[in-house]
Amino acid sequence: MPYRLYQLIERAARRTPDALALLWRDHTLTYAELWTRVERFAASLQALDVQRGDRVAVYLPKQFETVIALFGSNRADAVFIPINPQLKPDQVRHILVNAGARLLITSAQRAGQLTQALREVPSLQGVVLVDGAIELPVPGWPWDELPQQALQPARNIDIDLAALLYTSGSTGLPKGVMLSQRNLLCGAESVAEYLRNDQHDRILALLPLSFDYGLSQLTTAFCVGASVVLFDYLLPRDVLKAAAKYEVTGLAGVPPLWNQLVQLDWPSEVAKTMRFITNTGGAMPTATLAKLREILPNTRVI
């Protein structure tokens, strides 16, 4: 078992370099391609003088750069902080201040909305923009123009802090949950085992990557060399269309989503490919569970 999180991708790239790691819209990345980009981003962070234990926040929807930034930060010995892309500027500012973020990875549009907030984060030394350049109150670098240097060896060990995942803040301000390399790796291995994941799985990533089970959609897949479809949806019907389009074998959801999905007509292709579905974030209503088992008679419900 690896003892650093990024090694899940590195190991898969060595075993099955041509296997698909990520699908996003009509684009794909193999494990070899993903690993190359993770290493390149890690080298850029080192060139920007990001040090071991520095906090790197990622405020983006699900796209290739989001995954590369998270795992590239891990390769550079930094602590990554996935921020829910639905959060408003004041909420983002609180997380950046509370975490002591040194670097923020986001889009030009989102950075523009954070202009005032960025002035109020004393630890912040710069912003990486994945889609261009705008004027900001802190230094900024376009993703495609990041500095490069030879990648230095990783120094983190299994008990070192790997990530800060912030709670929803439903009973107060969001609080950062500290997760070590070992926490995340053991979680990935455990979940992949009970879901019986293997390299043939294709997981539809619906949940936010800032949510523990959302991040687990990546780590469990990478643990076994499976594929992940990065997907943000507007309507429940979009989920079923995506499941059919990408021939999804695994889907994680929360009770409100399942309650909506069982009211829809499911494409026949979904039942043919869906090997398992899994519920988190609350108890599955009995009636919803019964309906799901009727729609998906050959699918494991976990």
Side-chain angles (χ1 to χ4, degrees), residues 153-164:
R155 298 168 56 204
N156 273 347
I157 60 174
D158 60 343
I159 61 173
D160 282 331
L161 188 64
L164 287 170

Side-chain angles (χ1 to χ4, degrees), residues 18 65 67 166 173:
D18 296 327
E65 291 86 353
V67 179
Y166 274 77
L173 290 172

Side-chain angles (χ1 to χ4, degrees), residues 61-296:
K62 299 189 198 82
Q63 58 191 73
F64 290 159
E65 291 86 353
T66 312
V67 179
I68 294 164
L70 295 177
F71 285 83
S73 298
N74 184 256
R75 172 61 184 85
D77 289 332
V79 177
F80 64 80
I81 309 161
I83 299 179
N84 191 324
Q86 301 301 318
L87 294 186
K88 301 295 186 282
D90 283 348
Q91 297 168 302
V92 176
R93 179 193 55 78
H94 163 73
I95 291 174
L96 295 176
V97 171
N98 185 262
R102 176 166 182 175
L103 201 63
L104 172 65
I105 319 299
T106 191
S107 65
Q109 179 185 13
R110 290 172 184 274
Q113 296 169 348
L114 293 172
T115 299
Q116 180 56 39
L118 297 178
R119 295 190 177 98
E120 300 169 2
V121 185
S123 61
L124 193 68
Q125 297 188 9
V127 176
V128 175
L129 300 169
V130 299
D131 57 356
I134 61 171
E135 186 174 345
L136 294 170
V138 295
W141 300 273
W143 179 278
D144 293 332
E145 298 176 20
L146 286 170
Q148 280 292 301
Q149 67 175 36
L151 183 60
Q152 301 302 306
R155 298 168 56 204
N156 273 347
I157 60 174
D158 60 343
I159 61 173
D160 282 331
L161 188 64
L164 287 170
L165 300 188
Y166 274 77
T167 64
S168 62
S170 55
T171 58
L173 290 172
K175 301 170 182 66
V177 179
M178 303 172 70
L179 297 166
S180 70
Q181 307 275 352
R182 187 186 296 174
N183 288 149
L184 293 170
L185 288 167
C186 288
E189 188 175 46
S190 173
V191 175
E193 182 177 356
Y194 75 68
L195 294 182
R196 303 176 191 171
N197 287 134
D198 62 31
Q199 69 271 24
H200 303 296
D201 273 324
R202 181 167 291 181
I203 298 168
L204 185 61
L206 298 179
L207 302 174
L209 302 182
S210 56
F211 176 42
D212 58 350
Y213 210 109
L215 182 62
S216 178
Q217 295 168 115
L218 294 177
T219 60
T220 54
F222 296 163
C223 187
V224 299
S227 304
V228 179
V229 180
L230 301 175
F231 190 71
D232 291 307
Y233 68 96
L234 292 175
L235 302 171
R237 190 174 302 279
D238 298 335
V239 175
L240 299 182
K241 291 179 179 178
K245 174 182 176 180
Y246 294 106
E247 299 180 332
V248 167
T249 67
L251 176 61
V254 292
L257 175 61
W258 296 123
N259 290 340
Q260 293 175 306
L261 290 179
V262 296
Q263 305 301 318
L264 303 175
D265 293 327
W266 287 51
S268 58
E269 308 94 297
V270 176
K272 295 176 182 177
T273 63
M274 192 71 70
R275 188 179 64 77
F276 71 91
I277 59 173
T278 178
N279 177 68
T280 186
M284 175 85 80
T286 303
T288 301
L289 178 58
K291 185 65 175 176
L292 282 169
R293 285 181 164 149
E294 178 184 334
I295 295 169
L296 302 169

